[in-house]
Structure formats: structure tokens, C-alpha cells
Amino acid sequence: MAIEPLGKGLLGTTLRYPYELRDEDDYFNDIKSPKISKDMVELAGHILDTKAAHFDPRKFKDEMRTRCGALVAAQGPPGNR
């Protein structure tokens, strides 16, 4: 499922039909759980705490949209292609 912001809420879009889904145990059951020491968990928590910041979407620059827009603009109007 893809989840994206929409107004004051979230929009969920189903990416697969139910008949396409498989039981995760068939694929992931053989993967062993890692043994993570308490020190490593504390270190990870410290890194997350020190790197956490408020996200201001106005400061986000969507490079993909900018580049795609430039490609479309370079093609000119639909009648000139």
C-alpha cells in the first residue's frame, strides 16, 4: 500500500490485489533475528536523537519534478513535436 498526504489526512492506494499477496512466512521465516547489544541500541537512539529535526516542506526542493519539467519544456508545445 502506498500512503501519501492528502489535505488534512492520508490517502492509501492499494498496489496489489489480494490474490497477488503471499504469506510472508513463506519468504522470511528462514531469516534469523539479529542479536543486537544494548550498547548498539543506545548508540542508534543517540544518533536518532541528535539528528532529529523539524521538517519544513517549503525548504524541500523536488529535483525530479524540476528536471522532468525542464525536459517537457524543452520539447515545446505538443503540436511542435
Side-chain angles (χ1 to χ4, degrees):
M1 172 174 256
I3 299 174
E4 60 184 310
L6 180 65
K8 293 182 178 182
L10 296 173
L11 172 67
T13 305
T14 302
L15 301 175
R16 301 273 187 252
Y17 293 104
Y19 68 85
E20 296 177 301
L21 301 178
R22 304 292 184 264
D23 187 351
E24 70 272 9
D25 289 341
D26 293 342
Y27 299 95
F28 304 120
N29 224 16
D30 295 340
I31 299 173
K32 295 185 177 21
S33 296
K35 304 290 187 232
I36 302 172
S37 70
K38 182 180 176 187
D39 291 344
M40 293 303 287
V41 172
E42 289 174 359
L43 177 59
H46 171 73
I47 292 170
L48 291 173
D49 290 341
T50 58
K51 297 297 180 182
H54 176 72
F55 176 69
D56 183 356
R58 294 172 297 185
K59 293 181 180 179
F60 177 75
K61 184 174 180 185
D62 188 345
E63 292 287 338
M64 182 65 78
R65 180 181 289 261
T66 302
R67 291 179 183 183
C68 286
L71 286 172
V72 170
Q75 295 294 316
N80 293 342
R81 292 186 194 157

